[in-house]
Amino acid sequence: MRKVGSLIAGGALVAGIVAGTGGAAQAASPLNPVGNMDGFSYDGRLVVSGWTFDPETAASIDVHAYVDGQLAAVATANGSRPDVAGVYPSYGPSHGWSFDLGKRSAGVHQVCVYAINVGGGDTNPVLGCRTFTVAGNPALNPVGNVELVALIAEGLFMQGWTLDPETPASIDVHVYLDGRLATVTTADRSRPDVADVYPAYGAAHGFSAVLPTPGAGVHSVCAFAINVGDGTTNPQLGCRQFTVAPANPGDDVDCNDFATQRAAQEWFNRYYPYYGDVARLDGNNDGRACESLP
């Protein structure tokens, strides 16, 4: 790492840091902008500030702010910084910058600010980065419920409602079948009963989804509300376990179609819970199919 500029008055004014690569210190161009992020706060809104100038001009230069790797704002470093002028008198004081980058969602974030080179420098140097965490509030998690899961002719039907307490807008719902995302829907169907309980949020908070019918066997389906504010999680709205029956095999088989009693028993056990002894393999009703087979 190589410091550009100087440390003044016990840390009051520190130029930005230029990172080297490949493990060795890299010489930065003396024509690159210098400066620093010397102000940072998050108290419901993200605010960062600092100073910068390009050594090839006394004019104010632009700075770009990135949050979580995305360009968030552009400004000109033209705020009054007499302390900068005190160290660099030939450049004057008009080199301060500040960004109000607004509210951020719960979680870990990073803000970085870059000075934009205007002359013969070789980069737009980073003036500083800060990583910060916005604490979530469980009271702001979405609420709601899965009310109905049913197998219908069109497939597996699910119905319910949800809303996020931080917005009256409809939010997304993710539906998982057997632990895998099956569909994404928006809870925007009219639910006057929800509006009666939560009048400030309106009625557009119902959701429904139809999934393809899964194969025969026991399955589970779960729905999750997708948090859009400062909650701490995407809460589960409900899960249901259900069984899909195999197709009725009819009575087209008999004991002669099986080589062993075990094979007949497996066939019997697969269909008996749904259709009884449809192929009449258990002649004495003791639960054992084709007992004459080896």
Side-chain angles (χ1 to χ4, degrees):
M1 306 285 284
R2 177 174 178 265
K3 292 184 179 179
V4 178
S6 57
L7 175 65
I8 303 297
L13 182 61
V14 183
I17 302 295
V18 177
T21 59
Q26 301 295 308
S29 169
L31 301 181
N32 286 337
V34 296
N36 189 38
M37 178 194 295
D38 54 19
F40 167 85
S41 67
Y42 189 88
D43 186 14
R45 300 182 69 84
L46 173 60
V47 178
V48 291
S49 59
W51 64 274
T52 188
F53 67 84
D54 190 296
E56 295 185 83
T57 177
S60 303
I61 64 172
D62 285 348
V63 285
H64 291 188
Y66 283 73
V67 179
D68 299 331
Q70 301 295 316
L71 181 64
V74 174
T76 301
N78 58 6
S80 180
R81 286 291 300 258
D83 56 331
V84 174
V87 179
Y88 302 98
S90 61
Y91 293 94
S94 298
H95 300 293
W97 54 264
S98 179
F99 290 102
D100 181 341
L101 299 171
K103 181 180 179 181
R104 295 290 145 178
S105 62
V108 179
H109 302 278
Q110 184 183 65
V111 57
C112 295
V113 178
Y114 296 83
I116 304 305
N117 173 58
V118 296
D122 56 13
T123 190
N124 299 319
V126 62
L127 300 175
C129 289
R130 297 289 189 278
T131 299
F132 61 100
T133 300
V134 177
N137 182 349
L140 299 179
N141 288 337
V143 295
N145 189 38
V146 170
E147 299 168 315
L148 176 65
V149 172
L151 287 168
I152 61 175
E154 294 81 3
L156 177 65
F157 177 76
M158 172 181 278
Q159 177 180 294
W161 67 275
T162 187
L163 61 86
D164 190 296
E166 295 185 82
T167 176
S170 304
I171 64 172
D172 284 346
V173 176
H174 290 192
V175 180
Y176 283 73
L177 179 63
D178 297 333
R180 294 186 177 185
L181 181 64
T183 193
V184 175
T185 188
T186 302
D188 57 2
R189 293 176 177 265
S190 180
R191 287 292 299 262
D193 57 328
V194 174
D196 287 344
V197 179
Y198 301 96
Y201 296 90
H205 300 293
F207 70 89
S208 66
V210 178
L211 308 181
T213 302
V218 178
H219 303 275
S220 66
V221 61
C222 301
F224 296 84
I226 304 305
N227 173 57
V228 296
D230 286 337
T232 58
T233 189
N234 299 319
Q236 183 188 103
L237 300 174
C239 286
R240 298 289 190 276
Q241 190 174 81
F242 63 98
T243 300
V244 177
N248 191 328
D251 59 358
D252 291 338
V253 301
D254 57 31
C255 290
N256 292 325
D257 294 304
F258 302 99
T260 65
Q261 193 276 329
R262 179 178 178 178
Q265 191 68 45
E266 290 176 352
W267 192 98
F268 178 85
N269 292 343
R270 184 179 307 121
Y271 296 106
Y272 184 83
Y274 310 103
Y275 307 109
D277 187 11
V278 64
R280 296 181 295 278
L281 303 182
D282 180 14
N284 58 4
N285 295 319
D286 65 353
R288 287 181 54 82
C290 302
E291 293 180 85
S292 62
L293 292 175

